Every structure is written in structure tokens, then in C-alpha cells.
Amino acid sequence: MMEALGTSIKTETHGDVTVVGLAGEHDVTSAGAVREQLGTVAASGGGLVVSLMETTFFDSSIVHALFDADRQLQEADRRLVLHVATAPIVRRVLEVSMLADAVPCIGSLSEAVEVAGRRGGTA
Amino acid sequence: MNHGLTVELSLQAPREVRHSLEARYAGSIERSLLDDVTLLASEMVTNAVQHSGRPDGDLLTFESSVVDGVLRVEITDEGRGVPRLEPRAIAPPSGLGYLEILSDRWSSHLNHSFHVWFEIDVASRMTVYRRVVAA
């Protein structure tokens, strides 16, 4: 979808769950495109996994887009799920932004997709 | 271990500063410390790009140093709009809120140009790091 300086936003579907992969560095330069993509998926009524497996950096503008997507999903009785096992700096951002406390962070993609496909919470 | 850089205000400026920090300090300072410095510097430069009120192409100066166990970063732009930055006490924290969490001290002031700086006590952090590793 978007490719600049090793930065990309890729999407793939697993049933009614869309996995959005953020590869490379994501900051204010890509925040608008990320927000738009997450908003489109969240509005579709399906589940959403954001994969940070290939993310090498992301900043607070992306964090806010992720929080907003989670809020939007909660209105449809779903939750955002993060697919993570990532670079230390990415884990640090998850920690300091409190995103790691707010949404499920799962290392297995199949498990992340399964959790994102549920309605009525993540338990 | 001083480092200085002048970049043009643009959406690419945060990335330029991050890459410059990586090139200057990778291998010289501990990775988790460099990650924190990189994140904070990126957020500060982004703040300048978005809120300084200055046009694209205006210059922003980035300086970092490690002196007597204190790593200091200072960013200067020509903005005149805000006398002093005050991160809002919100959850989740804003980018400036990260300064409160990850730095040992930080501040900003308006003196012809707008300056924002932060410091991290490298020596004490390394001591904590070594204790955790040894435990």
C-alpha cells in the first residue's frame, strides 16, 4: 500500500480478521496512512490485528492511531490485537505508551487472529 | 562524545535525527539507553515540526553530549509560540509525556530561539542495568 525508505503497510485477510503489518520505521510521515488503514478495517465490522513483527520504530503518532482503532473496534464489541515479538525499541514504546497494558499483545499470529476474531472481549 | 546536527524542518526531520543518533552512538553506549534517547529525540523533533509554527525548510539544531556521566540532548528551533512546554497529564501519555517517564530531567525555554532539552544519568542507569543482568 505504501512504500518509502523501507517503510510499508501491508494487509492480509484471515477470514473476517484483517492483519495490518507495519514494516520499517513508522512516524509522522506514515501516521496518516496508518490511521486511514486502521480506520477502514475497524469500520468494516471485522477483526483487526496489527503486526509489529517487522517494525523497527514507531512513535506516539502511531500509538495514538492504534488507541483510536481500539476504541473504534470496542464500539463493535471487538478489540485490537497486536502481534509482537519485536525490536527492543518497539517493546519500549509499547511499554512507555501503556499500549502493552491496554490491548492484547500476542507473539503467535494464529493466536492473535483467533483472539481478534472474537466478539465480546478477549477472554 | 559530542554530536551536532542541523536539519531542515520537515516531516523527514525526526527520521534524520534518529539515523544520525544511531550512526554516532551505536556501539558506544548501551542499546537500551540509545533506544530511549532515540525515542525522546524523535518525539521532540516531531513536536518542533508540528508545533513550532515555523515553515518547512526552517532550520532545527540538534546537539547531544555525554559529560561526567550525563547524557544531554538539546533541540533548538526558531519558534516563538510557546514560552515553556508542559506535557498534559493524560493517559495514554503524549510524546512529550515520554520525557517525564524516560529522562531524569528536562525543561524548555524561550530565549530568542526555542530550546528543549533532556538529560539521562548514564552512570546510575548502567549500574542498575548491571545489577539486573547480574541478578
Side-chain angles (χ1 to χ4, degrees):
Chain A
M1 176 176 189
M2 160 186 179
E3 199 89 36
L5 297 167
T7 295
S8 69
I9 305 170
K10 300 170 188 166
T11 61
E12 55 184 62
T13 54
H14 297 249
D16 77 336
V17 175
T18 301
V19 178
V20 177
L22 304 181
E25 296 179 59
H26 285 272
D27 61 11
V28 282
T29 58
S30 59
V34 170
R35 179 175 289 279
E36 185 182 343
Q37 183 63 38
L38 300 186
T40 300
V41 176
S44 73
L48 172 60
V49 172
V50 173
S51 178
L52 302 174
M53 292 294 280
E54 296 178 36
T55 310
T56 55
F57 178 83
F58 73 120
D59 74 355
S60 61
S61 62
I62 305 298
V63 167
H64 284 113
L66 292 168
F67 270 111
D68 288 347
D70 184 47
R71 272 192 287 273
Q72 197 177 342
L73 286 160
Q74 285 184 54
E75 289 169 12
D77 210 17
R78 294 195 186 255
R79 291 303 304 272
L80 170 69
V81 178
L82 296 180
H83 175 218
V84 293
T86 45
I89 193 167
V90 172
R91 289 204 300 270
R92 188 65 157 163
V93 178
L94 289 172
E95 196 181 286
V96 76
S97 66
M98 300 187 213
L99 199 50
D101 299 325
V103 303
C105 297
I106 298 173
S108 149
L109 180 60
S110 58
E111 194 185 333
V113 168
E114 199 238 309
V115 171
R118 293 178 197 156
R119 288 186 182 273
T122 56
Chain B
M1 294 228 283
N2 293 345
H3 181 50
L5 179 71
T6 299
V7 297
E8 291 187 359
L9 275 185
S10 75
L11 289 178
Q12 279 69 44
R15 181 189 295 253
E16 282 182 55
V17 167
R18 292 197 302 272
H19 288 195
S20 168
L21 277 168
E22 181 70 25
R24 175 64 184 86
Y25 290 116
S28 304
I29 65 175
E30 195 251 323
R31 170 53 57 182
S32 70
L33 174 63
L34 179 54
D35 284 351
D36 285 358
V37 171
T38 300
L39 174 59
L40 293 181
S42 184
E43 294 292 346
M44 288 162 60
V45 173
T46 300
N47 194 65
V49 170
Q50 294 186 315
H51 303 299
S52 67
R54 302 297 301 175
D56 272 15
D58 221 47
L59 296 181
L60 175 148
T61 305
F62 175 92
E63 293 174 293
S64 59
S65 61
V66 184
V67 177
D68 294 335
V70 176
L71 190 152
R72 180 185 172 90
V73 167
E74 181 159 347
I75 288 172
T76 307
D77 66 55
E78 298 306 313
R80 301 275 197 277
V82 185
R84 187 183 170 88
L85 292 177
E86 297 286 350
R88 289 171 296 161
I90 55 171
S94 64
L96 285 177
Y98 299 175
L99 280 168
E100 291 277 339
I101 299 167
L102 296 179
S103 76
D104 287 297
R105 62 202 74 82
W106 73 278
S107 188
S108 64
H109 61 275
L110 188 58
N111 178 17
H112 301 296
S113 304
F114 183 72
H115 303 255
V116 55
W117 59 267
F118 69 84
E119 292 180 345
I120 295 177
D121 297 333
V122 181
S124 61
R125 176 189 281 236
M126 287 304 288
T127 303
V128 170
Y129 174 73
R130 289 195 186 102
R131 277 188 198 138
V132 169
V133 169

mmCIF file of all heavy atoms in Angstrom, chain B residues 111-134:
data_model
loop_
_atom_site.group_PDB
_atom_site.id
_atom_site.type_symbol
_atom_site.label_atom_id
_atom_site.label_comp_id
_atom_site.label_asym_id
_atom_site.label_seq_id
_atom_site.Cartn_x
_atom_site.Cartn_y
_atom_site.Cartn_z
ATOM 1 N N ASN B 111 14.354 31.787 24.407
ATOM 2 C CA ASN B 111 15.407 32.792 24.563
ATOM 3 C C ASN B 111 15.901 33.122 23.155
ATOM 4 O O ASN B 111 16.866 32.561 22.684
ATOM 5 C CB ASN B 111 16.530 32.217 25.438
ATOM 6 C CG ASN B 111 17.671 33.198 25.609
ATOM 7 O OD1 ASN B 111 17.501 34.390 25.357
ATOM 8 N ND2 ASN B 111 18.830 32.687 25.997
ATOM 9 N N HIS B 112 15.215 34.036 22.499
ATOM 10 C CA HIS B 112 15.421 34.337 21.079
ATOM 11 C C HIS B 112 14.993 33.139 20.230
ATOM 12 O O HIS B 112 14.222 33.281 19.298
ATOM 13 C CB HIS B 112 16.876 34.723 20.784
ATOM 14 C CG HIS B 112 17.324 35.920 21.573
ATOM 15 N ND1 HIS B 112 16.763 37.159 21.397
ATOM 16 C CD2 HIS B 112 18.247 36.057 22.554
ATOM 17 C CE1 HIS B 112 17.316 38.024 22.238
ATOM 18 N NE2 HIS B 112 18.224 37.370 22.954
ATOM 19 N N SER B 113 15.521 31.960 20.565
ATOM 20 C CA SER B 113 15.069 30.725 19.918
ATOM 21 C C SER B 113 14.363 29.881 20.971
ATOM 22 O O SER B 113 14.423 30.186 22.161
ATOM 23 C CB SER B 113 16.257 29.933 19.377
ATOM 24 O OG SER B 113 17.008 30.721 18.496
ATOM 25 N N PHE B 114 13.716 28.804 20.510
ATOM 26 C CA PHE B 114 13.047 27.911 21.457
ATOM 27 C C PHE B 114 13.935 26.696 21.707
ATOM 28 O O PHE B 114 14.379 26.024 20.768
ATOM 29 C CB PHE B 114 11.688 27.456 20.906
ATOM 30 C CG PHE B 114 10.945 26.605 21.880
ATOM 31 C CD1 PHE B 114 10.392 27.173 23.019
ATOM 32 C CD2 PHE B 114 10.810 25.238 21.690
ATOM 33 C CE1 PHE B 114 9.722 26.393 23.947
ATOM 34 C CE2 PHE B 114 10.141 24.455 22.605
ATOM 35 C CZ PHE B 114 9.598 25.035 23.743
ATOM 36 N N HIS B 115 14.200 26.421 22.985
ATOM 37 C CA HIS B 115 15.097 25.325 23.356
ATOM 38 C C HIS B 115 14.325 24.301 24.190
ATOM 39 O O HIS B 115 13.598 24.678 25.107
ATOM 40 C CB HIS B 115 16.263 25.825 24.222
ATOM 41 C CG HIS B 115 17.068 26.912 23.584
ATOM 42 N ND1 HIS B 115 18.314 26.705 23.042
ATOM 43 C CD2 HIS B 115 16.784 28.224 23.383
ATOM 44 C CE1 HIS B 115 18.769 27.840 22.539
ATOM 45 N NE2 HIS B 115 17.869 28.781 22.739
ATOM 46 N N VAL B 116 14.523 23.041 23.897
ATOM 47 C CA VAL B 116 14.013 21.985 24.776
ATOM 48 C C VAL B 116 15.148 20.980 24.957
ATOM 49 O O VAL B 116 15.886 20.678 24.014
ATOM 50 C CB VAL B 116 12.722 21.323 24.210
ATOM 51 C CG1 VAL B 116 12.914 20.799 22.806
ATOM 52 C CG2 VAL B 116 12.238 20.206 25.127
ATOM 53 N N TRP B 117 15.337 20.545 26.187
ATOM 54 C CA TRP B 117 16.465 19.649 26.462
ATOM 55 C C TRP B 117 16.046 18.575 27.464
ATOM 56 O O TRP B 117 15.075 18.737 28.201
ATOM 57 C CB TRP B 117 17.672 20.425 27.016
ATOM 58 C CG TRP B 117 17.400 21.177 28.288
ATOM 59 C CD1 TRP B 117 17.013 22.472 28.390
ATOM 60 C CD2 TRP B 117 17.483 20.668 29.631
ATOM 61 N NE1 TRP B 117 16.833 22.805 29.720
ATOM 62 C CE2 TRP B 117 17.120 21.721 30.497
ATOM 63 C CE3 TRP B 117 17.811 19.429 30.182
ATOM 64 C CZ2 TRP B 117 17.083 21.564 31.883
ATOM 65 C CZ3 TRP B 117 17.779 19.274 31.567
ATOM 66 C CH2 TRP B 117 17.417 20.340 32.393
ATOM 67 N N PHE B 118 16.793 17.474 27.444
ATOM 68 C CA PHE B 118 16.608 16.464 28.487
ATOM 69 C C PHE B 118 17.960 15.855 28.840
ATOM 70 O O PHE B 118 18.926 15.948 28.057
ATOM 71 C CB PHE B 118 15.616 15.372 28.065
ATOM 72 C CG PHE B 118 16.089 14.443 26.973
ATOM 73 C CD1 PHE B 118 16.876 13.332 27.252
ATOM 74 C CD2 PHE B 118 15.734 14.671 25.656
ATOM 75 C CE1 PHE B 118 17.295 12.471 26.254
ATOM 76 C CE2 PHE B 118 16.155 13.817 24.645
ATOM 77 C CZ PHE B 118 16.941 12.710 24.947
ATOM 78 N N GLU B 119 18.022 15.288 30.030
ATOM 79 C CA GLU B 119 19.249 14.620 30.470
ATOM 80 C C GLU B 119 18.917 13.242 31.035
ATOM 81 O O GLU B 119 17.870 13.042 31.660
ATOM 82 C CB GLU B 119 19.956 15.449 31.547
ATOM 83 C CG GLU B 119 20.524 16.755 31.014
ATOM 84 C CD GLU B 119 21.231 17.581 32.073
ATOM 85 O OE1 GLU B 119 21.065 17.302 33.283
ATOM 86 O OE2 GLU B 119 21.923 18.538 31.686
ATOM 87 N N ILE B 120 19.832 12.319 30.804
ATOM 88 C CA ILE B 120 19.730 10.975 31.386
ATOM 89 C C ILE B 120 21.053 10.684 32.099
ATOM 90 O O ILE B 120 22.130 10.885 31.521
ATOM 91 C CB ILE B 120 19.470 9.913 30.293
ATOM 92 C CG1 ILE B 120 18.103 10.149 29.639
ATOM 93 C CG2 ILE B 120 19.533 8.506 30.887
ATOM 94 C CD1 ILE B 120 17.770 9.188 28.499
ATOM 95 N N ASP B 121 20.948 10.266 33.340
ATOM 96 C CA ASP B 121 22.152 9.926 34.102
ATOM 97 C C ASP B 121 22.642 8.551 33.666
ATOM 98 O O ASP B 121 22.109 7.529 34.096
ATOM 99 C CB ASP B 121 21.852 9.943 35.604
ATOM 100 C CG ASP B 121 21.454 11.330 36.077
ATOM 101 O OD1 ASP B 121 21.884 12.322 35.444
ATOM 102 O OD2 ASP B 121 20.710 11.424 37.066
ATOM 103 N N VAL B 122 23.640 8.555 32.824
ATOM 104 C CA VAL B 122 24.118 7.309 32.222
ATOM 105 C C VAL B 122 24.711 6.387 33.280
ATOM 106 O O VAL B 122 24.428 5.193 33.310
ATOM 107 C CB VAL B 122 25.193 7.609 31.150
ATOM 108 C CG1 VAL B 122 25.671 6.306 30.518
ATOM 109 C CG2 VAL B 122 24.634 8.534 30.090
ATOM 110 N N ALA B 123 25.516 6.949 34.160
ATOM 111 C CA ALA B 123 26.242 6.122 35.124
ATOM 112 C C ALA B 123 25.283 5.350 36.022
ATOM 113 O O ALA B 123 25.421 4.139 36.203
ATOM 114 C CB ALA B 123 27.173 6.985 35.952
ATOM 115 N N SER B 124 24.275 6.031 36.582
ATOM 116 C CA SER B 124 23.358 5.350 37.501
ATOM 117 C C SER B 124 22.519 4.322 36.755
ATOM 118 O O SER B 124 22.219 3.253 37.257
ATOM 119 C CB SER B 124 22.454 6.354 38.209
ATOM 120 O OG SER B 124 21.673 7.041 37.269
ATOM 121 N N ARG B 125 22.152 4.649 35.534
ATOM 122 C CA ARG B 125 21.355 3.694 34.764
ATOM 123 C C ARG B 125 22.163 2.433 34.449
ATOM 124 O O ARG B 125 21.664 1.330 34.526
ATOM 125 C CB ARG B 125 20.891 4.337 33.464
ATOM 126 C CG ARG B 125 20.141 3.356 32.588
ATOM 127 C CD ARG B 125 19.906 3.952 31.264
ATOM 128 N NE ARG B 125 18.784 4.858 31.334
ATOM 129 C CZ ARG B 125 17.725 4.735 30.545
ATOM 130 N NH1 ARG B 125 17.654 3.771 29.680
ATOM 131 N NH2 ARG B 125 16.749 5.579 30.626
ATOM 132 N N MET B 126 23.449 2.607 34.116
ATOM 133 C CA MET B 126 24.286 1.447 33.821
ATOM 134 C C MET B 126 24.463 0.582 35.060
ATOM 135 O O MET B 126 24.516 -0.635 34.979
ATOM 136 C CB MET B 126 25.656 1.896 33.293
ATOM 137 C CG MET B 126 25.603 2.450 31.873
ATOM 138 S SD MET B 126 24.881 1.282 30.684
ATOM 139 C CE MET B 126 26.209 0.079 30.586
ATOM 140 N N THR B 127 24.548 1.233 36.226
ATOM 141 C CA THR B 127 24.683 0.475 37.463
ATOM 142 C C THR B 127 23.452 -0.392 37.678
ATOM 143 O O THR B 127 23.539 -1.578 37.978
ATOM 144 C CB THR B 127 24.861 1.432 38.664
ATOM 145 O OG1 THR B 127 25.989 2.250 38.402
ATOM 146 C CG2 THR B 127 25.076 0.664 39.947
ATOM 147 N N VAL B 128 22.283 0.224 37.479
ATOM 148 C CA VAL B 128 21.028 -0.525 37.619
ATOM 149 C C VAL B 128 20.994 -1.660 36.610
ATOM 150 O O VAL B 128 20.663 -2.793 36.918
ATOM 151 C CB VAL B 128 19.808 0.417 37.414
ATOM 152 C CG1 VAL B 128 18.524 -0.385 37.312
ATOM 153 C CG2 VAL B 128 19.731 1.426 38.540
ATOM 154 N N TYR B 129 21.404 -1.359 35.373
ATOM 155 C CA TYR B 129 21.388 -2.356 34.309
ATOM 156 C C TYR B 129 22.283 -3.545 34.669
ATOM 157 O O TYR B 129 21.897 -4.691 34.535
ATOM 158 C CB TYR B 129 21.877 -1.701 33.012
ATOM 159 C CG TYR B 129 22.055 -2.632 31.852
ATOM 160 C CD1 TYR B 129 20.953 -3.156 31.179
ATOM 161 C CD2 TYR B 129 23.326 -3.002 31.423
ATOM 162 C CE1 TYR B 129 21.116 -4.015 30.118
ATOM 163 C CE2 TYR B 129 23.493 -3.869 30.368
ATOM 164 C CZ TYR B 129 22.389 -4.366 29.714
ATOM 165 O OH TYR B 129 22.561 -5.224 28.653
ATOM 166 N N ARG B 130 23.492 -3.221 35.169
ATOM 167 C CA ARG B 130 24.426 -4.306 35.517
ATOM 168 C C ARG B 130 23.867 -5.149 36.658
ATOM 169 O O ARG B 130 24.025 -6.349 36.698
ATOM 170 C CB ARG B 130 25.783 -3.730 35.893
ATOM 171 C CG ARG B 130 26.513 -3.162 34.681
ATOM 172 C CD ARG B 130 27.991 -2.935 34.966
ATOM 173 N NE ARG B 130 28.628 -2.261 33.862
ATOM 174 C CZ ARG B 130 28.936 -0.963 33.846
ATOM 175 N NH1 ARG B 130 28.671 -0.214 34.893
ATOM 176 N NH2 ARG B 130 29.504 -0.424 32.789
ATOM 177 N N ARG B 131 23.212 -4.484 37.621
ATOM 178 C CA ARG B 131 22.622 -5.232 38.752
ATOM 179 C C ARG B 131 21.538 -6.195 38.243
ATOM 180 O O ARG B 131 21.465 -7.323 38.673
ATOM 181 C CB ARG B 131 21.983 -4.252 39.760
ATOM 182 C CG ARG B 131 22.990 -3.679 40.726
ATOM 183 C CD ARG B 131 22.260 -2.892 41.812
ATOM 184 N NE ARG B 131 23.189 -2.013 42.485
ATOM 185 C CZ ARG B 131 22.926 -0.760 42.834
ATOM 186 N NH1 ARG B 131 21.770 -0.241 42.559
ATOM 187 N NH2 ARG B 131 23.818 -0.053 43.463
ATOM 188 N N VAL B 132 20.720 -5.705 37.322
ATOM 189 C CA VAL B 132 19.637 -6.548 36.798
ATOM 190 C C VAL B 132 20.231 -7.733 36.045
ATOM 191 O O VAL B 132 19.798 -8.873 36.214
ATOM 192 C CB VAL B 132 18.721 -5.716 35.856
ATOM 193 C CG1 VAL B 132 17.772 -6.612 35.091
ATOM 194 C CG2 VAL B 132 17.951 -4.681 36.666
ATOM 195 N N VAL B 133 21.256 -7.480 35.239
ATOM 196 C CA VAL B 133 21.889 -8.546 34.465
ATOM 197 C C VAL B 133 22.547 -9.567 35.386
ATOM 198 O O VAL B 133 22.473 -10.785 35.164
ATOM 199 C CB VAL B 133 22.938 -7.932 33.489
ATOM 200 C CG1 VAL B 133 23.791 -9.038 32.877
ATOM 201 C CG2 VAL B 133 22.231 -7.153 32.393
ATOM 202 N N ALA B 134 23.157 -9.079 36.460
ATOM 203 C CA ALA B 134 23.868 -9.968 37.376
ATOM 204 C C ALA B 134 22.919 -10.770 38.256
ATOM 205 O O ALA B 134 23.280 -11.834 38.748
ATOM 206 C CB ALA B 134 24.819 -9.144 38.252
#
